[in-house]
Amino acid sequence: MSKVKVGINGYGTIGKRVADAVKAQNDMEVVGVTKTRPTFEAQTAIDKGFSLYVPEDSLKAFRDAKMPVKGTIKDLYKAAEIMVDCTPGDVGEKYKAEYEAAGIKAIFQGGEDHSLTGISFNSTANYSESWGAQFSRVVSCNTTGLLRTLNPIDKKIKIKNAYVTLVRRGVDPGDSKGGPINGLEPTVKLPTHHGPDVKSIMPWLNINTMAIKASTTLMHLHTVVVELEKETGTDEILNIMRTSPRVKLIKSSSGIKGTAEIMELGREMGRNRSDMYEIVVWEDGVKVVGKMLYYYQAVHQESDVVPENIDCIRSMCKMEEDASVSISKTNKSLGIRQ
Ligand SMILES: NC(=O)C1=CN([C@@H]2O[C@H](COP(=O)(O)OP(=O)(O)OC[C@H]3O[C@@H](n4cnc5c(N)ncnc54)[C@H](OP(=O)(O)O)[C@@H]3O)[C@@H](O)[C@H]2O)C=CC1
Ligand SMILES: O=C(OP(=O)(O)O)[C@H](O)COP(=O)(O)O
């Protein structure tokens, strides 16, 4: 079986990780990645053996920087069967017409609206909905995190209402221009877009979200309060989480007090870029009282969507019909145990 040819438009925080994850699969290959500026990341892409494609108006800058490029972004369309668009939020929508004209498939990321594709993707919640689709959208890191725990719980014990506060990292570790440098910033446009984004995949779910931006770069942290339809026990919820893909239960008694220790764990696990692809739940922070469920979870925003993109490629390119087979294959390639 020939490998599916994947192009990555936007070799940035997400794009570089998706490129490495595609390279780690035996049923797909990276045929090229794009950058607009000859930065160190462009050089590392070349050093890793990725073919570099750039916008027409960037050709001179890369020539002057003596960075070899294979062609323009439009040349990449000729080599790829599917593009993974990892350009900054709202930039992807400008490329959709080009992908369409080139007759290739494309996956967009959470910075684009659900309306751009009409299909949003999460491997455990709705893998088959993207089957054979020309366009789909992998939901953002926070939405991916919420779906990974709320969807399996809702499947077993119906959720009446969910109330989530997202404490969001200010910027990614590699970003020196964002903020807040000091303090906490409430997102006053309420309810935040996260609830509707979860509903793009679980439209029946009553979910209410608020968000606070914090001066940290490491991870997002969620407080989740769920009103269940029926009384249950803490152990039943823990068992659901323990058997849900890409959810990792940890204990504060193991020294993992917060997101700093989680990222240190990623280093200790020898993960590529110390990435924590799984949603991390404090086991001793899960509590059920009657019908009310309380828990905390941490999201590594730079990497949790990466395995989702791999599974989305398999669904859109009709490579594997069984979601659990694709999830296991992807997990194995990335060192994810469950
Ligand atoms: N970072 C995060 O925490 C998460 C981000 N996402 C989503 O993933 C997507 C990408 O985000 P992220 O990786 O953080 O973005 P980055 O800014 O890290 O990377 C963007 C990439 O796109 C390239 N680029 C910029 N403008 C253009 C353009 N006009 N045409 C082609 N390429 C361009 C950049 O190249 P150059 O640098 O050379 O200009 C860079 O390689 C967004 O939709 C975002 O919402 C989803 C989950 C988490
Ligand atoms: O938190 C994120 O998006 P989300 O709040 O839509 O889930 C991503 O990490 C992107 O965040 P940014 O828009 O602050 O770069």
Side-chain angles (χ1 to χ4, degrees), residues 110 140-143 168-170 172 193-194 213 220 301:
S140 83
C141 47
N142 281 305
T143 307
R168 296 179 63 215
R169 65 90 178 90
D172 290 329
H193 68 277
H194 304 97
K213 241 186 179 185
H220 300 311
Q301 71 284 352

Side-chain angles (χ1 to χ4, degrees), residues 87-105:
T87 57
D90 298 332
V91 171
E93 65 184 36
K94 300 179 174 63
Y95 277 98
K96 186 182 173 190
E98 289 189 9
Y99 302 144
E100 202 148 30
I104 52 179
K105 296 176 182 275

Side-chain angles (χ1 to χ4, degrees), residues 8-11 33-39 42 51-63 67 69-77 83 87-88 91 95 98-99:
I8 316 271
N9 191 14
Y11 189 77
V33 301
T34 79
K35 281 278 281 151
T36 72
R37 297 169 299 144
T39 61
S51 298
L52 201 56
Y53 292 80
V54 303
E56 192 92 36
D57 55 9
S58 299
L59 285 169
K60 183 181 182 309
F62 279 82
R63 207 168 28 249
M67 280 189 199
V69 303
K70 196 81 180 284
T72 66
I73 295 181
K74 287 188 176 170
D75 292 327
L76 178 51
Y77 302 160
M83 293 296 293
T87 57
V91 171
Y95 277 98
E98 289 189 9
Y99 302 144

Side-chain angles (χ1 to χ4, degrees), residues 117-158:
T117 58
I119 309 177
S120 286
F121 180 88
N122 173 266
S123 56
T124 42
N126 74 342
Y127 177 94
S128 59
E129 278 182 38
S130 293
W131 184 254
Q134 181 172 11
F135 298 117
S136 188
R137 177 186 80 122
V138 168
V139 292
S140 83
C141 47
N142 281 305
T143 307
T144 294
L146 290 169
L147 287 164
R148 280 196 189 149
T149 49
L150 292 173
N151 186 265
I153 291 168
D154 185 60
K155 276 179 182 160
K156 295 266 175 61
I157 309 168
K158 288 309 288 166

